[in-house]
Amino acid sequence: MQQIPVYVFTGFLDAGKTKFIQETLEDPRFNAGERTLLLVFEEGEEEFDFSAYPHDSVFLYTLNQETVTTKELQALAKKHKAQRVVAELNGMQMVGDLYTRFPEDWVVAQEVMFADSTTFMTYNANMRNLVMDKLVGAQMVVFNRLEVGQDTMPYHKIARAANRRIDILYDFTDGSTAFDDVQDPLPFDINAPVIEIKDEDYALWYRDVTEEPEKYRDKTVSFKAQVAMLRRDKNGMFAPGRFVMTCCIDDIQFCGIPCRYEQAQTLESRSWVSVTAKISVEKHTLYQGELGPILTAISVEPAAPAAEEVATF
């Protein structure tokens, strides 16, 4: 099955998505006449100027992000023999909800978020779940309409709290741009003989070890967690972890790591334990065929609950 790359642009109304897509389609390095399905899920004030680029192979459709179906998307791609898709998403809808309706052969090649710096903090204060939804999956976020000399650290902190690997570009009102080059040190020492994870740092460590497991190969870690039993590995294995909240109560989920432990069957589900374990990198059903961290317990001891039962970033 030939895959169709999808270039996704997210952000709230008037954040600059349409302007950027227009400029991208005008760039001959991106648009040399490839058959492009241009899907707009949010109508803004700006419109596309088809006269500025090879438009005979660009097919524009305005769709409802809430109701569009996989069948509709498949039909459009087939009708125009699309080689790629460019999608401008509705900022008031969740990105993941739409992704679940993408046809099987559609693969997200890039996701970029655009944020108007003059309104971003208000959105973050009042609609944090929607802001985090856009940041978590993006490869890059562009903060535009910044005044020259403006403090960018508040934007940096929010973006990196959601996604440590996201690239951040600042676009200033004088036309200049600058990439964020601030390095965020981890709050624990991954080169220590035993990596000690504080209760308040569990969410950050879990994200880091699952995103870059090779960095932790053969290292030893110690942390507090709750016991979760694995359906397929009832004997000799469990998954110590924590309930983690990214942005709001609705997105709380249990984040655990498979752990080999001969006495796993003696543990009580949801009980708190202190785990010291060695980390390997292997395949497991939880990782859907991909490599991920696997723990081998050195010790598992009863522990008092963490002060905050739900871990956050």
Side-chain angles (χ1 to χ4, degrees):
M1 181 187 295
Q2 187 172 355
Q3 295 182 333
I4 298 177
V6 185
Y7 300 88
V8 179
F9 301 93
T10 70
F12 298 99
L13 193 63
D14 297 331
K17 302 188 295 292
T18 304
K19 180 183 178 183
F20 183 84
I21 294 172
Q22 174 74 36
E23 292 173 350
T24 300
L25 290 172
E26 290 177 9
D27 188 339
R29 293 171 298 178
F30 181 82
N31 188 6
E34 292 88 347
R35 299 182 69 80
T36 303
L37 199 58
L38 177 56
L39 305 181
V40 177
F41 292 97
E42 178 180 65
E43 289 191 80
E45 293 182 4
E46 288 199 50
E47 294 185 357
F48 290 100
D49 178 7
F50 282 82
S51 66
Y53 52 81
H55 59 276
D56 290 343
S57 55
V58 177
F59 310 98
L60 171 64
Y61 287 88
T62 301
L63 304 172
N64 187 320
Q65 189 167 323
E66 261 190 304
T67 60
V68 71
T69 66
T70 304
K71 192 174 181 179
E72 287 177 272
L73 297 173
Q74 284 175 325
L76 289 175
K78 183 178 180 180
K79 177 181 178 181
H80 297 290
K81 298 178 181 178
Q83 295 173 286
R84 64 185 180 185
V85 176
V86 174
E88 180 180 347
L89 271 54
N90 187 322
M92 302 308 290
Q93 303 293 327
M94 301 293 273
V95 175
D97 290 344
L98 178 62
Y99 283 176
T100 61
R101 283 172 274 141
F102 274 2
E104 189 178 348
D105 57 342
W106 287 24
V107 178
V108 177
Q110 187 178 38
E111 183 182 324
V112 179
M113 177 185 180
F114 288 84
D116 179 350
S117 65
T118 64
T119 58
F120 177 77
M121 291 301 178
T122 301
Y123 277 115
N124 187 60
N126 299 311
M127 302 179 185
R128 186 167 172 78
N129 62 324
L130 290 173
V131 171
M132 291 295 111
D133 172 65
K134 312 296 179 289
L135 289 170
V136 165
Q139 282 80 46
M140 182 169 75
V141 58
V142 179
F143 290 107
N144 52 39
R145 297 166 190 160
L146 286 157
E147 296 295 331
V148 176
Q150 185 173 339
D151 182 13
T152 58
M153 189 54 69
Y155 305 100
H156 167 95
K157 288 181 177 179
I158 293 170
R160 287 286 166 79
N163 182 347
R164 281 185 61 84
R165 305 171 90 178
I166 197 170
D167 290 325
I168 304 171
L169 179 67
Y170 302 116
D171 187 359
F172 298 96
T173 52
D174 69 347
S176 64
T177 60
F179 272 102
D180 187 304
D181 59 1
V182 176
Q183 296 298 314
D184 295 302
L186 293 166
F188 42 82
D189 184 2
I190 68 169
N191 295 313
V194 178
I195 305 170
E196 300 283 351
I197 308 300
K198 296 178 181 177
D199 292 352
E200 60 267 29
D201 296 329
Y202 179 84
L204 189 59
W205 173 72
Y206 175 83
R207 183 170 64 190
D208 201 54
V209 73
T210 52
E211 287 183 351
E212 299 184 72
E214 286 293 344
K215 189 165 70 177
Y216 291 86
R217 184 188 286 274
D218 297 328
K219 293 183 181 292
T220 301
V221 65
S222 179
F223 61 97
K224 184 185 291 184
Q226 286 184 279
V227 172
M229 307 311 295
L230 296 166
R231 292 180 182 177
R232 297 188 181 182
D233 301 303
K234 293 181 180 179
N235 297 318
M237 208 162 195
F238 76 111
R242 299 275 304 275
F243 285 95
V244 174
M245 179 173 69
T246 301
C247 62
C248 60
I249 292 175
D250 290 339
D251 75 359
I252 292 176
Q253 59 183 330
F254 187 81
C255 296
I257 298 175
C259 179
R260 295 189 181 95
Y261 180 53
E262 289 184 358
Q263 300 177 53
Q265 68 275 12
T266 67
L267 298 174
E268 183 180 346
S269 182
R270 298 289 295 271
S271 63
W272 286 87
V273 290
S274 288
V275 176
T276 300
K278 191 167 184 177
I279 304 172
S280 58
V281 181
E282 306 172 34
K283 287 187 177 181
H284 190 275
T285 52
L286 285 181
Y287 305 129
Q288 300 179 333
E290 300 294 325
L291 291 171
I294 300 291
L295 305 176
T296 299
I298 297 170
S299 68
V300 178
E301 303 291 341
E308 298 291 338
E309 184 169 332
V310 176
T312 68
F313 295 96

